[in-house]
Amino acid sequence: MDFAFGPDDDAFRSDAREWLAAHRGDAAGRDWERELGDGGWIGIGWDDGGAYGGRRAGLTQQVVWAEEYARARAPARAGHIGENLLAPTLIAYGSDAQRQRFLPAIARGEELWCQGYSEPGAGSDLAGVRTVAVRDGGAYRVTGQKIWTSLAQDADWCFVLARTGEARPGARRHHGLSFLLVPMDQPGRIEVRPIRQMTGTSEFNEVFFDGALAREVVGGEGNGWRVAMGLLALERGVSTLVQQIGFAEELREVVRLAVEAGAGGWGEGAGDPVVRARLVRLWAELHTMRANALRTLGTSGGGPGAPSVAKLLWGGWHQRLGELAVQVRGAAATVGPYDWDEERPYELDSLQKLFLFSRADTIYGGSDEIQRDIIAERVLGLPRERERESG
């Protein structure tokens, strides 16, 4: 499975394209999840022995499936947060009742999830969350605000990191947190406000909780930090390899444009030695990231800093790709794909969106500064930031 720039395999991709042609509109993402669920293609590799709808698969098989799905350019997954983040977390930390309630619905593609971690004053600093959950009989009432919540506008449930108790005197701030499962259909108690980005899209949202009811806590009250950290470790691994397939497709398009620019005399094409050197470097770095991801794949490889190293590598790489995509097109990069009118007041093509959206790559999912702190403290054994400042 290399990243060779060969012709598209239209025969292999035909099934996904035919499905896309027949399913359009806002419900397409949910319909596709059910389609995958009907075929048994959700929960591949869940460590549940197949008890809750997952499909048995070794690590290599998981990688093959994920990469071929990406190569097929199949529809973007609306259910990946539930399948790839929450489900393994419930298998590791949830109760039998929680696994029986939630995992089969995820495996059937019937319930979509979002992740309530970041807050306006606590983005990469999860220990600083201020959303509170107060006991109300056998449940909790959740009040607070989350931000940058992906796909919240379509989600049925949200797993929320909230403060259910004060940290003990002298203890670190992450004590007193709990991992709660909150149903999103609570009119008057939950409000979702999409955040319009400079790409013109609104994948991210603000979510406001005003006494929202939550009956499920995963891992026990006060153990939310342990559960949350276990979940964050799942955001790397196989998903990183899948991401790199998308990166390879984007790089191939930039190479094509560079060649055209050189032949047509516009922009800065592949004939420019500086552009050519940048293209070769991006290609080599992508291969290096893939080799590193394969090396660290699994539970034993890479050590505690491996996820942070991977995030630093791909975040900066993707930004440089976006910058080069604009450079090779020259002035044409400033012109949208359609004429401006009331029906299409703001439209961008895929590479313009790449350039603008990739500006956030070094911020979301843990900023570069946070990743470097993790490497410094957990790998290099340097003093913690506050200790360095006071020392």
Side-chain angles (χ1 to χ4, degrees):
M1 293 184 186
D2 58 20
F3 291 137
F5 296 117
D8 291 345
D9 187 352
D10 289 330
F12 180 78
R13 294 169 174 159
S14 62
D15 288 345
R17 288 174 175 170
E18 287 176 8
W19 190 94
L20 275 174
H23 296 74
R24 296 293 183 186
D26 295 338
R30 192 176 289 271
D31 290 343
W32 179 245
E33 290 302 311
R34 293 196 179 100
E35 185 84 3
L36 290 173
D38 288 344
W41 295 112
I42 298 178
I44 294 176
W46 280 358
D47 188 19
D48 67 341
Y52 305 106
R55 181 189 288 246
R56 290 180 179 272
L59 190 56
T60 300
Q61 292 171 311
Q62 294 174 49
V63 171
V64 169
W65 156 252
E67 290 193 337
E68 291 307 315
Y69 186 95
R71 288 182 191 278
R73 297 179 186 174
R77 292 293 307 282
H80 71 93
I81 294 175
E83 177 189 8
N84 298 320
L85 297 183
L86 179 69
T89 301
L90 289 181
I91 292 170
Y93 301 102
S95 66
D96 287 340
Q98 288 168 343
R99 289 191 285 266
Q100 291 170 5
R101 163 60 185 86
F102 295 108
L103 294 183
I106 294 173
R108 292 191 299 267
E110 294 176 354
E111 291 183 344
L112 304 182
W113 287 79
C114 61
Q115 174 177 318
Y117 274 19
S118 295
E119 298 184 5
S124 297
D125 180 20
L126 286 182
V129 301
R130 290 178 292 180
T131 295
V132 297
V134 179
R135 275 194 173 275
D136 181 5
Y140 296 86
R141 290 289 178 180
V142 181
T143 301
Q145 178 186 357
K146 299 294 181 178
I147 198 167
W148 311 121
T149 309
S150 301
L151 307 179
Q153 69 272 36
D154 299 318
D156 303 295
W157 289 80
C158 181
F159 49 90
V160 175
L161 193 62
R163 197 164 292 282
T164 51
E166 294 296 328
R168 299 187 301 273
R172 294 176 180 169
R173 294 176 301 149
H174 61 258
H175 288 282
L177 296 172
S178 295
F179 189 99
L180 304 170
L181 308 182
V182 183
M184 293 293 286
D185 186 13
Q186 299 191 50
R189 297 291 185 181
I190 298 179
E191 180 183 0
V192 178
R193 298 180 189 172
I195 300 172
R196 185 175 173 84
Q197 299 137 217
M198 57 185 176
T199 57
T201 56
S202 303
E203 298 94 340
F204 300 125
N205 303 269
E206 294 178 282
V207 182
F208 296 86
F209 299 94
D210 184 10
L213 187 66
R215 299 186 182 279
E216 301 285 348
V217 57
V218 179
E221 183 177 306
N223 293 321
W225 183 258
R226 179 172 67 97
V227 178
M229 292 301 100
L231 183 145
L232 286 176
L234 299 168
E235 291 188 304
R236 313 295 188 239
V238 172
S239 62
T240 301
L241 289 165
V242 176
Q243 180 187 56
Q244 290 166 7
I245 297 294
F247 288 171
E249 293 285 347
E250 292 171 342
L251 178 57
R252 175 165 60 182
E253 179 64 11
V254 174
V255 169
R256 183 187 67 79
L257 287 172
V259 172
E260 286 185 2
W266 52 266
E268 301 181 33
D272 184 321
V274 175
V275 171
R276 189 164 60 245
R278 291 182 68 185
L279 287 169
V280 171
R281 180 168 183 169
L282 286 170
W283 179 87
E285 288 174 343
L286 184 57
H287 276 272
T288 302
M289 286 192 294
R290 176 176 171 78
N292 183 65
L294 289 170
R295 180 183 66 85
T296 60
L297 197 60
T299 57
S300 59
S308 294
V309 170
K311 178 61 167 58
L312 284 171
L313 288 174
W314 71 253
W317 184 93
H318 205 217
Q319 280 190 351
R320 294 192 296 276
L321 179 65
E323 292 163 359
L324 187 57
V326 171
Q327 180 183 350
V328 299
R329 298 171 75 180
T334 65
V335 180
Y338 306 108
D339 291 336
W340 186 283
D341 58 39
E342 292 184 359
E343 293 184 1
R344 285 175 165 168
Y346 188 79
E347 290 282 347
L348 301 172
D349 62 35
S350 60
L351 291 183
Q352 289 170 329
K353 289 179 180 179
L354 162 64
F355 169 69
L356 293 174
F357 192 88
S358 65
R359 309 319 298 168
D361 283 341
T362 53
I363 301 173
Y364 71 79
S367 68
D368 278 9
E369 292 79 6
I370 293 294
Q371 305 304 336
R372 291 189 178 100
D373 276 348
I374 292 172
I375 294 169
E377 295 168 8
R378 301 182 186 178
V379 180
L380 302 179
L382 297 177
R384 293 183 178 274
E385 184 175 3
R386 290 183 180 179
E387 296 174 6
R388 295 197 297 273
E389 292 174 352
S390 62

